Structures are given as C-alpha cells and as structure tokens.
Amino acid sequence: MTSYLGVQVSDPTLQNQFTQVELRSLKSKFTAVKNEKGKVTIGDLPSLLVTLKAFASTFKEEEVAGLLAQSFPDLTVDIDFEGFLRVYLNLQGQANAKSGHSKTASAFLKASITTLLHTISHSERALYVAHINSYLEDDPFLKQFLPLDPATNDLFDLAKDGVLLCKLINVAVPGTIDERAINCKKILNLWERNENHTLCLNSAKAIGCTVVNIGTQDLVEARPHLVLGLISQIIKIQLLADLNLKKTPQLVELVEDNTDIEELMSLAPEKLLLKWMNFHLGKAGYEKRVSNFSSDLKDGRAYAYLLNVLAPEHCNPATLDAKTALERATLVLDHAEKMGCKRYLKPTDIVEGSSNLNLAFVAQIFHRRSGLSTDGKKYAFAEMMTDDVQTSREERCFRLWINSLGATYCNNVFEDVRNGWILLEVLDKIKPGSVNWKHATKPPIKMPFRKVENCNQVIKIGRQLKFSLVNLAGNDFVQGNKKLILAMINVALNLKILSSFSAFLWQLMRYSMLQLLKNLRSHSQGKEVTDTDILHWVNKKVRSMGRTSRIENFKDKSISNGIFFLELLSSVEPRVVNWNLVTKGESDDEKRLNATYIISVARKLGCSIFVLPEDIMEVNQKMILTLAASIMYWSLQKAVEEGESLSPAPSSCNTCNATPDASPAPSVCGEDESSSIAGDVSSLTIDDAASDTTVSSSPFDNEEVTSAGGE
C-alpha cells in the first residue's frame, strides 16, 4: 500500500520508459499547452517538442510537423498524455537514427499506434477470444455464453459482469481466486458487479498484472482498450508461467556453466523465451540473432529454422525457399499445427510483426516442444537454487508489492534490486521528494561504482526514515548476496535487528503501510502506530459484532482455522461473507478452504494483499499483520469517504456501544479508530515483543474494556 503513486500511465511498458522526474517534467509541459477546452491536439505538439532538450538540436518545428503528419493526417485530433509519450518516444528513436544511433531507432509508434488513439487490433482480439473459447469452454457457468464471436462485441458484453475476468485469472494462475467468492448469476446488480471487478483487479495485481489507472467502473463499462489490455496481461502471464527455473529446470541448458545460472534467474520471462529461441536457432545454423518478437520475425525465416530443429519430422524444404514472406508464414503455421499448436495466428500477423501475437506463438511452441534435455549436474544445481519454498514465497510478496506501486517492473527481487534503481523509485513513491535524481543513474548501468552510488543513496534515505540499518552498506546490495537480502527481508514486521543486517525491504513495506494508516487521520497526536494498535483494532471489531473470538498476537495458532479473519471481514462488511461456505477449520483441507476464501473475500472487499493460503494456515505473522492492516485500512478509508467523524476520541470512551449499520462500509466507533492509529511513524521502534503483545498490553486497553462492558 502507498499513499503516493506519482505520474502513472496505464501501459506498464510505456511507464518503464521514463523516470518519475521525466514524467513529471513532460506532464507539466504537456499541461501547459492545453487550450481553453483543456485539450491538446496533434497540431500543438511540434512547437512543444522542439523546445525539449532531446530534440532542440536535432529537429526544426516544420520537420516535426512533417513526421507527425505521416502518422496523423488530421492534426486537429485530440491527444492524451499517454499518446504524447508515445509520440515522444517515436521522435526520440528517429532523433537517434538521425544522429547515427540506429540501435535505438524506433518503430515504437508504429507498433503502438493501435493504443495511441484507443484503436483495437482485430487480430489480437481474435487471439484473446480464441484463447477464452478454448480454455473456458467447459466452465460450468460460462459455457452457456461460449463460444464468443470475435467479430462482435460478445467479449466486452460478457466482461461487464466480471465473472469472465475472474475465471480467466484462475486459468492463468490456478487457485488465485476462490470461485465461491465470485458472484455468478445471469443478472447481477451494480453492487455485485463492482464486487466481482474489485476482486478481479486485486487478484490481477496478486499475479503480477499492472492495473494502474484501471478502475471498477472502467470494467463495468467494458472500455475496450482497458479490457483488452488487462486480458492481454493475464494471458501473457499464463503463457509465460513455465519460463523460469522452478517450473522448467531444463532451462539451465541455455547457459554454459553454473556461474551463469543466477543471471538466467534474473531474466524476464520474455527475455528468457528469446534466449531459448536463439539457443535453438544457433544449433540450427541460423545466421542472425532474434532480439524482438516483431521485426526480427517478419520474414518467417527464424520460425522455419526453429521448427525444423524442434520437429524435423514435419520439415518442409519449401518453407525456406518460399518466394514471399507471406507464403513462408503460411508454411510455418502449417508446420506448427502438425506439432499440435492451435492455429490462433494468421500469416499476415507474422508478416506485419505483431509483437503480442508473435510472443504468444513462440510461447505456444515452447510449451509443445521445448527441445531441452536434462544435464544431470546442471539440473540438480538449478533445483537446489529454486527449492527454498519460504524464500520463493517471500520474494513473491515483495516483487508483487513493488510492481503494484508502478515502479520499474521487477522480475526477481534478489537480482533486480542490485543496481539500486528500483529501490529509489519505490522510496520516491512512498516518500515523495526523498530521492535526489541528479545523483542517480538509470539502468542499464555499466560502471559498478554507479550502482554503488544508487544503493548508497537508498541506505541514506532509509536512515533518514529512521530505518534500522546496522552494518549495511550500498555495496551489499550490489554484490547481490541473496542470503544477506533474505536476512533483511526475514526481519519483516517486527522491525527488530535480528542480526547485523537489517530488514530493509520489510521496513520499507511497513513504513508505506503505516503511513497510509496515519494519513487517514489528520489529527495526529504523536502516537506511534504499532502492532498492538492493529491487534487491538481487529479484536475490537470482532467483539463489536457480538463474537467471542480474539487473538493474543499475530502468531496465535487459532488463526490457522480462518474463523477469526472471516469474523473480522464480516464485522467491517456484514454482506461480504457467506457463512454457508465456511468450514469449521478442523482438518488441513478445511483450513485451506477457509484460507482461500478469506483471501478472495478480502480482495473482493477492496484490500490489496499478496497473502497465500499457506501464510494463514501456517500463521506467518508477517503476512498475517499485512492482512490485518489491509482490512483495517479499508475500513478506515471507507469511513473517511462516507464522511464519518475523524475527530480524536476522548481519553476514556464510555459510549462506544454503537452497532454497525447496514451500509457497505460500516465503521464501529470511528472516534476510537482515530485515536488508535494517530501518530508519527517516522520512528519505528517496535521490537520482537510487538507481534507477541496481547491486547491487555495495549495503551488503549482501558478504553476498550469500558466499551466492551468490562471484558
């Protein structure tokens, strides 16, 4: 959770092309040229662009106007900020080409023009519809609406209720959503639709989608470019799910020796897929190296070589001898179909260089036949490196949290933090203005000392935020010592120095979380937000509903059956829990059912959480605290939105016997909540006892005993 998102754009690829400093500067200049209607047209851009440092010495205004006219015949068309950013990148590519830096010369705008003015690619829509028809055709609820016709608005009409998107997320990452939490009816009211879409968006974040600037109303209205953008991300995650060493240890064959395996682990799935493709192309004798899924594949030759080496039994000599790229693409698809790949693409899609469609096609080939063997020693080494379940779960939590903030996309926390850039971006988001960007270096960074400079600034800011950073230097991040970074992570929510190394990432995450809670209450009285305050709050909420459940701390073993958190969720929103679906939580199977239901209900409510069922079943106190804090934040935020009193509570409250109303976001004794979370959290001094502290040790206990009738 964070109280600051900076300048955000809906396309994560576009977002990652700029720093926040660049985005702020460009946003300011873009806003300055708006006309009296608050709009900017294509014709307004030439005079703006030539004033920018990147183009001032390269183009004249009339040259820019001429280049824009090639893509936009009508210069009076309005353009939004994202469109302006795409134009900027395209012009930057042409400026580089003009000055001789051809490797960055860009066809970016041509590849992205469909999203610039929210025009939909019919080929991509057809692929997504075919994918949905294939994977969801047997779904008990959706089969009555399938197959969808890609030539109509069937997809968008069905997406309006949210059921389709939730089901698609479960196809991509099975078990993400407890389908008992999905509102599955032919006709849903607005409340039920919003619940489904809220569940969808929070679950999408939990599997790695970027959903910045997408709201439930966008999905209720089924805005085509946003719906297709979200579907594209979900399908991409599914297609690339096995592109990692944990799922496919055989990928170690792509490197020469064990020392390169860690580098392999740091690659994004798309880069790993390209590495796999080039590995086989090299064996097949292909003379070029494929560096993208668009222009490098247009002529179909790379596909022909790849399929010939993977499935020589279906080889057709005529493929490489084809006179045209279109003819070759047709033969390539015939070859792939004989291998068992479904024909989602058309030959023209290959020839036109559709990046998303080509990526999907290559991923499909990988799944059907990877062509990788098992080197005993390498395979064992890869399994050893990826076999730490707890490490994987914690890395996943941090990665998803970082990505939810809209920073540069993180593929592997242990590798991607080493240059310090991502951590600087995260710090800038949770504490705006804390980063001196003039002293920061953006990747790719060739000089090691620049990485150290970035990481030293991370440490400096951490100390300013009163983080505990004993014996930790920037070079520790650069060296990429996984055990060191993990040691920092494992300190987590206790914020105690467990060793000579501190829990930097957990302190960062916790600081963000507590700042949000603090910012909901403007009447700060200098009191710290502690584990005890959150523990006290959750027990009070459950008790206010007449329940007798309570927990002593955030590692209370009774949490494992799930009953307490279901009662907590019911206390903040009575309608959200269907008690007919709740088990007693006595066996492991019953505990898992309750745990998965808790996670989906919390996300359906609006909580952004990255908890796994195992975290609840095993009572992982760090994750339990984040779950409790997220529910607390949601409840308090709704109280603020609904205009409830935010004034500080009296030091002793004797009138807190109110019961929650039936509104969508009830808040019991809002005044008590105000005093419970008020305070300055810039100095976090919670120690080991904090997560073990019982309610009786809370500084607010007298107030609560009185309100509860002397419990």
Side-chain angles (χ1 to χ4, degrees), residues 90-101:
N90 179 60
L91 194 62
Q92 189 177 58
Q94 296 194 47
N96 287 331
K98 190 174 182 180
S99 60
H101 302 296

Side-chain angles (χ1 to χ4, degrees), residues 97-109:
K98 190 174 182 180
S99 60
H101 302 296
S102 59
K103 74 174 184 176
T104 53
S106 175
F108 189 93
L109 185 60

Side-chain angles (χ1 to χ4, degrees), residues 127-425:
L127 170 65
Y128 303 152
V129 168
H131 185 93
I132 289 168
N133 287 338
S134 174
Y135 281 91
L136 291 171
E137 62 182 349
D138 295 325
D139 182 84
F141 178 76
L142 292 177
K143 64 182 180 182
Q144 61 187 311
F145 305 106
L146 302 179
L148 302 175
D149 183 353
T152 69
N153 285 327
D154 283 358
L155 174 60
F156 306 114
D157 292 338
L158 188 56
K160 289 180 179 179
D161 284 345
V163 179
L164 172 66
L165 295 173
C166 288
K167 299 271 190 177
L168 193 60
I169 286 172
N170 268 358
V171 169
V173 184
T176 299
I177 296 176
D178 187 332
E179 298 200 1
R180 297 174 297 171
I182 304 173
N183 298 317
C184 290
K185 296 189 299 186
K186 277 193 174 182
I187 301 177
L188 298 177
N189 60 39
L190 183 58
W191 172 268
E192 292 167 329
R193 284 186 174 188
N194 279 332
E195 281 191 329
N196 280 350
H197 289 308
T198 302
L199 174 59
C200 163
L201 290 175
N202 283 310
S203 299
K205 281 195 286 186
I207 66 170
C209 294
T210 301
V211 296
V212 174
N213 289 345
I214 303 178
T216 57
Q217 190 59 32
D218 297 320
L219 299 182
V220 168
E221 295 173 2
R223 296 178 64 186
H225 66 288
L226 294 178
V227 170
L228 286 183
L230 182 56
I231 290 175
S232 172
Q233 290 188 73
I234 295 170
I235 291 177
K236 182 178 177 181
I237 286 170
Q238 178 188 347
L239 292 174
L240 300 179
D242 292 340
L243 265 296
N244 59 73
L245 286 179
K246 185 173 183 179
K247 294 285 186 67
T248 313
Q250 297 91 335
L251 286 167
V252 294
E253 190 178 348
L254 304 183
V255 297
E256 294 295 329
D257 55 56
N258 291 344
T259 59
D260 297 326
I261 292 181
E262 285 205 34
E263 181 182 350
L264 193 69
M265 292 175 66
S266 69
L267 290 178
E270 302 95 312
K271 297 292 185 184
L272 200 51
L273 191 60
L274 283 174
K275 191 174 185 69
W276 168 81
M277 189 175 189
N278 283 309
F279 173 77
H280 286 300
L281 290 176
K283 291 200 300 184
Y286 187 60
E287 64 278 9
K288 297 179 182 178
R289 183 172 183 81
V290 175
S291 60
N292 57 65
F293 291 104
S294 53
S295 58
D296 287 358
L297 301 177
K298 282 185 175 182
D299 63 6
R301 293 182 62 81
Y303 278 132
Y305 275 90
L306 178 65
L307 295 177
N308 284 349
V309 74
L310 291 176
E313 68 274 19
H314 302 303
C315 178
N316 184 347
T319 304
L320 287 172
D321 296 332
K323 295 181 179 180
T324 66
L326 189 63
E327 181 184 348
R328 186 177 300 112
T330 302
L331 294 172
V332 162
L333 292 177
D334 289 341
H335 192 160
E337 193 169 26
K338 292 175 182 177
M339 286 173 53
C341 297
K342 293 185 178 180
R343 189 181 284 260
Y344 290 148
L345 275 71
K346 300 189 297 294
T348 52
D349 296 328
I350 295 177
V351 174
E352 291 172 0
S354 171
S355 180
N356 284 342
L357 297 179
N358 276 312
L359 184 147
F361 184 42
V362 176
Q364 190 182 28
I365 295 171
F366 173 83
H367 286 298
R368 296 302 304 180
R369 194 171 298 191
S370 70
L372 299 174
S373 59
T374 301
D375 180 319
K377 292 183 179 179
K378 285 185 178 181
Y379 188 92
F381 186 68
E383 284 190 320
M384 179 184 68
M385 293 187 68
T386 60
D387 196 40
D388 190 336
V389 176
Q390 186 62 31
T391 300
S392 298
R393 277 161 49 182
E394 293 182 347
E395 187 277 335
R396 168 193 170 276
C397 172
F398 283 102
R399 172 168 40 84
L400 293 173
W401 175 67
I402 289 171
N403 289 338
S404 75
L405 301 180
T408 297
Y409 199 85
C410 180
N411 293 294
N412 185 302
V413 169
F414 298 130
E415 293 296 325
D416 293 352
V417 302
R418 290 173 61 179
N419 60 33
W421 183 261
I422 288 179
L423 292 177
L424 287 173
E425 287 189 316

Side-chain angles (χ1 to χ4, degrees), residues 373-635:
S373 59
T374 301
D375 180 319
K377 292 183 179 179
K378 285 185 178 181
Y379 188 92
F381 186 68
E383 284 190 320
M384 179 184 68
M385 293 187 68
T386 60
D387 196 40
D388 190 336
V389 176
Q390 186 62 31
T391 300
S392 298
R393 277 161 49 182
E394 293 182 347
E395 187 277 335
R396 168 193 170 276
C397 172
F398 283 102
R399 172 168 40 84
L400 293 173
W401 175 67
I402 289 171
N403 289 338
S404 75
L405 301 180
T408 297
Y409 199 85
C410 180
N411 293 294
N412 185 302
V413 169
F414 298 130
E415 293 296 325
D416 293 352
V417 302
R418 290 173 61 179
N419 60 33
W421 183 261
I422 288 179
L423 292 177
L424 287 173
E425 287 189 316
V426 172
L427 285 163
D428 190 54
K429 288 179 181 297
I430 68 172
K431 187 68 173 177
S434 61
V435 177
N436 185 343
W437 291 109
K438 291 182 180 180
H439 295 164
T441 304
K442 183 179 181 180
I445 306 174
K446 295 182 179 179
M447 303 300 293
F449 77 92
R450 295 295 186 190
K451 298 179 183 180
V452 175
E453 284 180 349
N454 281 355
C455 293
N456 281 340
Q457 186 175 179
V458 169
I459 299 298
K460 179 181 178 181
I461 297 170
R463 291 197 173 104
Q464 291 170 355
L465 297 180
K466 306 294 178 66
F467 290 179
S468 183
L469 301 172
V470 178
N471 296 332
L472 180 63
N475 196 49
D476 294 322
F477 282 105
V478 177
Q479 290 176 350
N481 186 323
K482 180 183 292 190
K483 295 298 181 183
L484 168 62
I485 297 173
L486 181 58
M488 292 188 296
I489 292 175
N490 276 336
V491 179
L493 301 170
N494 291 332
L495 297 178
K496 173 184 168 67
I497 305 173
L498 298 180
S499 65
S500 59
F501 302 111
S502 304
F504 182 83
L505 289 177
W506 269 108
Q507 290 183 87
L508 195 60
M509 186 175 181
R510 183 187 174 88
Y511 177 87
S512 174
M513 179 176 68
L514 296 184
Q515 279 292 97
L516 274 180
L517 289 171
K518 175 191 173 185
N519 291 340
L520 282 176
R521 297 306 189 204
S522 59
H523 304 287
S524 174
Q525 299 177 358
K527 298 174 182 175
E528 294 180 355
V529 179
T530 66
D531 290 2
T532 302
D533 298 333
I534 300 172
L535 177 67
H536 188 67
W537 184 89
V538 298
N539 277 322
K540 179 190 69 176
K541 291 300 268 188
V542 171
R543 189 170 57 204
S544 71
M545 295 297 290
R547 305 281 186 174
T548 59
S549 299
R550 60 179 284 151
I551 56 175
E552 298 299 320
N553 49 56
F554 290 113
K555 56 182 182 181
D556 191 316
K557 294 301 181 184
S558 67
I559 293 173
S560 67
N561 65 23
I563 301 299
F564 179 82
F565 271 97
L566 287 166
E567 290 180 345
L568 175 62
L569 288 164
S570 182
S571 73
V572 298
E573 176 44 65
R575 296 190 296 176
V576 79
V577 176
N578 182 347
W579 287 100
N580 293 325
L581 303 177
V582 177
T583 73
K584 293 182 179 180
E586 294 175 346
S587 66
D588 285 345
D589 288 342
E590 288 185 342
K591 288 179 180 179
R592 179 171 292 277
L593 284 171
N594 284 352
T596 56
Y597 190 51
I598 288 168
I599 294 169
S600 291
V601 168
R603 288 175 180 156
K604 184 178 180 178
L605 200 62
C607 299
S608 180
I609 54 175
F610 307 107
V611 180
L612 292 172
E614 291 81 2
D615 294 322
I616 298 174
M617 296 171 65
E618 298 168 10
V619 194
N620 180 329
Q621 65 187 77
K622 297 173 290 187
M623 293 295 100
I624 295 299
L625 179 53
T626 62
L627 175 60
S630 295
I631 297 171
M632 179 179 177
Y633 174 76
W634 181 88
S635 179

